[in-house]
Amino acid sequence: MRIDILIQRIAPKWRRYLHALALASLMVFAAFLVYGAWHTTEESWDFRATDNSLLKTPLVIPQGLWLIGIGVFGLMTLLR
């Protein structure tokens, strides 16, 4: 569903506030994601968790990469 049609019908004064609200909501959501990813990665580090394959890869490696990706997403919301 396209909301561009609805956005164009809103007065520019209100459009600015709605865009700011949308960006603020995205920042809060990104902060929750970073918070959860940090605690998941930290827990894997503390327990020295590994996957259950023959390689026994430490889970902190993929979760750390995941944390970095989500962190970049959060940073991009702040830089906008």
Side-chain angles (χ1 to χ4, degrees):
M1 191 168 147
R2 303 273 311 197
I3 65 165
D4 292 342
I5 296 169
L6 297 174
I7 291 292
Q8 291 174 1
R9 293 181 184 201
I10 296 174
K13 176 185 171 186
W14 291 102
R15 207 180 308 170
R16 182 179 13 226
Y17 292 119
L18 290 175
H19 284 305
L21 177 66
L23 185 59
S25 299
L26 186 62
M27 285 180 195
V28 170
F29 178 67
F32 278 118
L33 288 177
V34 170
Y35 177 79
W38 173 263
H39 281 288
T40 301
T41 306
E42 184 180 37
E43 186 176 295
S44 293
W45 177 268
D46 290 342
F47 291 120
R48 292 183 172 85
T50 60
D51 67 345
N52 56 359
S53 70
L54 293 175
L55 295 175
K56 298 293 184 201
T57 304
L59 287 178
V60 74
I61 294 171
Q63 289 173 349
L65 294 172
W66 175 58
L67 173 61
I68 290 169
I70 292 176
V72 169
F73 170 66
L75 183 63
M76 291 298 113
T77 62
L78 290 174
L79 295 178
R80 176 64 175 110

